[in-house]
Amino acid sequence: MAAHVINEARRCLQCKKPLCQLKGCPVQTNIPEMIRLFLDGKSAEAGKMLFDNNPLSVVCSLVCDHENQCEGNCIQGRKGAAIQIPSIENYISDAYLDKLTLEREPDKGQKVAIIGSGPAGITIAVKLAAKGYGITIFERMDQIGGMMRYAIPSFRLPKSILNRYQEKLRELGIHIRPNTSIGGALHLDDLFNDGYDAVFIGTGTWRPKRPHVRGESLGNVHYAIDYLQNPAAYKLGDTVAVIGAGNSAMDVARTVVRMGSRFVTVYARRNRIAASQRELDYAHADGIDIQPGMAIKEFTDEGPIFIPNIYDEEGNLIRQEEPVLCPADSSIIAVSQGPKDKIVKTTTGIDVTDYGLIAVDDDGRTTREGVFASGDVVAGAKNVVLAVKFSKQVAKAMDRYLQEKAKKQS
């Protein structure tokens, strides 16, 4: 592994205008500098730079859409193979995570409640705890990580990485309350009554989106977000149909194969598959069949019924053929997720969009004083690096808000 990473790093041209960074990376990771430091034997400096810029660097090195981001914009890829940038980043950031010593500024005497411990919540927690704020994370599940832990399979993102993050958060003085749902026994108003000066909402998108067809409540039909949380709880049978076309559908299909099902087919409504080419390649390698142009009509005890759609080369629908039953022991619906509304329904003053997402301004401020939000609960189901990008900006806005609040109270 080390030799491979070094050889890849040596291929870097140190471009004066690094498109891998400027065009490819949503958080503007200084990739040329990372590689230069690494080759100069300064891996710890490279790791610190990566973490300071992106606290979830080691996660992003594994789960980002690299072929359309850093690798996809590498100049070496124009005439040959792009540099395997994520392998280099992972090698550096994974080693640095164990050496990482997080430091806090002097205690500011102000407390912040963070609801949700996904990529947005972790980013906010790290940034504000380092500034000296007292942080408590409220997580409705038993462990931190949000979608990273409960929706990304272990073969893509080992849970051990998130366990290591949990220890680093505690070392930074962050309190973690697992199995605690805000909007249940505790409401958002309780947080302010108990002295929190600001609240951050990063609860993600945990409500499955439905195709709204007959048969969704049958015993052999499941939702992807539910299945991925605990695949071992399901007995799906030999033949499984996965409805969807994105990376989540590929995660489900590849997990199903690993859990023992022998015949797994992904059915996409259109000809264009939304999943990345890399995820498609892995799905093919795992023996998963992919059927485009299949619109779900109904679920039955015998399997799903689809309407085959015929498209032209430009993606325009030409015609629909007669419905066809595709026999399957089980079906899993993987057509994205939306936000739950427990917090919004149990408090006042927080506006939502037409899609049920929390409405915020450019700095993540909600319509209620002192409440901020970012991540999927604001942008919809996206990816880790985009949650980090906006959350870094929100952390700065929260710091400004808290400083102004302290001045008014002094």
Side-chain angles (χ1 to χ4, degrees):
M1 174 65 176
H4 160 74
V5 169
I6 291 171
N7 289 336
E8 283 298 298
R10 285 173 175 164
R11 294 177 57 224
C12 179
L13 300 176
Q14 290 290 309
C15 301
K16 291 184 178 180
K17 185 179 180 182
L19 297 181
C20 57
Q21 172 189 349
L22 301 176
K23 186 178 179 182
C25 183
V27 290
Q28 296 290 287
T29 298
N30 192 336
I31 295 167
E33 179 68 0
M34 170 191 77
I35 291 175
R36 186 188 67 77
L37 289 170
F38 174 63
L39 292 177
D40 285 348
K42 300 177 180 178
S43 291
E45 290 182 33
K48 183 179 187 307
M49 181 194 71
L50 288 171
F51 186 89
D52 289 346
N53 178 64
N54 176 5
L56 291 170
S57 173
V58 64
V59 173
C60 290
S61 70
L62 294 173
V63 304
C64 271
D65 184 10
H66 305 114
E67 67 191 57
N68 289 314
Q69 293 175 346
C70 55
E71 275 192 24
N73 287 278
C74 174
I75 196 73
Q76 291 280 44
R78 294 185 179 181
K79 293 184 179 180
I83 295 170
Q84 294 181 26
I85 297 168
S87 296
I88 303 169
E89 181 179 7
N90 180 260
Y91 186 88
I92 296 169
S93 57
D94 186 78
Y96 180 73
L97 185 60
D98 291 329
K99 302 173 185 175
L100 172 65
T101 300
L102 295 170
E103 298 180 356
R104 289 176 58 97
E105 293 181 9
D107 193 290
K108 286 185 167 60
Q110 292 174 290
K111 296 191 297 184
V112 177
I114 295 178
I115 307 172
S117 65
I122 290 176
T123 301
I124 297 288
V126 168
K127 293 296 184 182
L128 292 186
K131 291 285 187 180
Y133 298 106
I135 306 295
T136 299
I137 296 176
F138 296 86
E139 172 52 56
R140 72 179 183 90
M141 307 294 275
D142 61 340
Q143 298 184 72
I144 72 157
M147 289 285 182
M148 295 184 294
R149 182 181 292 273
Y150 295 103
I152 300 178
S154 296
F155 55 81
R156 287 186 60 208
L157 179 61
K159 310 306 181 193
S160 58
I161 291 176
L162 300 172
N163 296 340
R164 290 156 66 195
Y165 268 100
Q166 184 160 297
E167 291 307 309
K168 292 299 178 182
L169 294 178
R170 289 196 167 115
E171 288 175 14
L172 195 51
I174 295 170
H175 296 289
I176 300 173
R177 288 191 57 167
N179 300 311
T180 306
S181 178
I182 304 301
L186 290 174
H187 292 182
L188 191 144
D189 291 339
D190 295 319
L191 303 179
F192 284 112
N193 291 336
D194 287 343
Y196 287 95
D197 296 280
V199 174
F200 172 80
I201 302 174
T203 48
T205 49
W206 291 87
R207 186 189 300 277
K209 285 190 177 179
R210 299 176 50 195
H212 293 285
V213 299
R214 182 181 176 85
E216 284 186 61
S217 67
L218 296 180
N220 62 344
V221 180
H222 313 282
Y223 295 108
I225 191 63
D226 299 328
Y227 173 74
L228 288 172
Q229 290 181 55
N230 186 11
Y234 293 77
K235 302 300 179 185
L236 301 178
D238 271 349
T239 304
V240 178
V242 179
I243 290 80
N247 286 340
S248 179
M250 302 305 155
D251 284 344
V252 168
R254 296 179 65 201
T255 301
V256 169
V257 167
R258 283 160 174 75
M259 296 304 296
S261 297
R262 294 191 297 166
F263 308 104
V264 180
T265 304
V266 172
Y267 295 93
R269 184 167 62 92
R270 297 183 180 275
N271 275 7
R272 180 183 176 277
I273 307 298
S276 69
Q277 187 59 50
R278 183 167 297 177
E279 291 306 311
L280 282 173
D281 291 342
Y282 278 120
H284 284 302
D286 285 341
I288 295 161
D289 186 25
I290 298 175
Q291 295 290 329
M294 300 290 278
I296 184 65
K297 179 181 184 294
E298 181 180 350
F299 293 100
T300 73
D301 291 329
E302 291 72 38
I305 296 175
F306 295 96
I307 298 176
N309 289 334
I310 309 301
Y311 294 90
D312 62 21
E313 293 182 357
E314 296 180 353
N316 300 311
L317 180 62
I318 298 175
R319 68 178 186 278
Q320 293 183 322
E321 297 188 344
E322 289 298 313
V324 57
L325 170 67
C326 295
D329 298 311
S330 299
S331 298
I332 302 180
I333 301 168
V335 291
S336 192
Q337 303 87 235
K340 291 189 174 182
D341 55 6
K342 183 180 288 187
I343 293 176
V344 172
K345 281 189 172 181
T346 56
T347 190
T348 58
I350 298 179
D351 289 350
V352 296
T353 69
D354 293 340
Y355 299 99
L357 302 167
I358 294 180
V360 299
D361 66 10
D362 291 341
D363 286 328
R365 293 182 179 86
T366 71
T367 49
R368 177 165 176 173
E369 175 75 15
V371 180
F372 296 75
S374 72
D376 288 359
V377 75
V378 168
K382 300 294 184 183
N383 55 38
V384 174
V385 71
L386 291 177
V388 172
K389 177 184 178 181
F390 188 39
S391 297
K392 287 172 60 180
Q393 182 176 337
V394 175
K396 292 179 181 178
M398 293 183 72
D399 181 34
R400 291 194 299 270
Y401 170 81
L402 290 163
Q403 290 187 48
E404 292 170 3
K405 185 174 182 178
K407 289 179 181 178
K408 291 178 182 178
Q409 294 175 343
S410 62

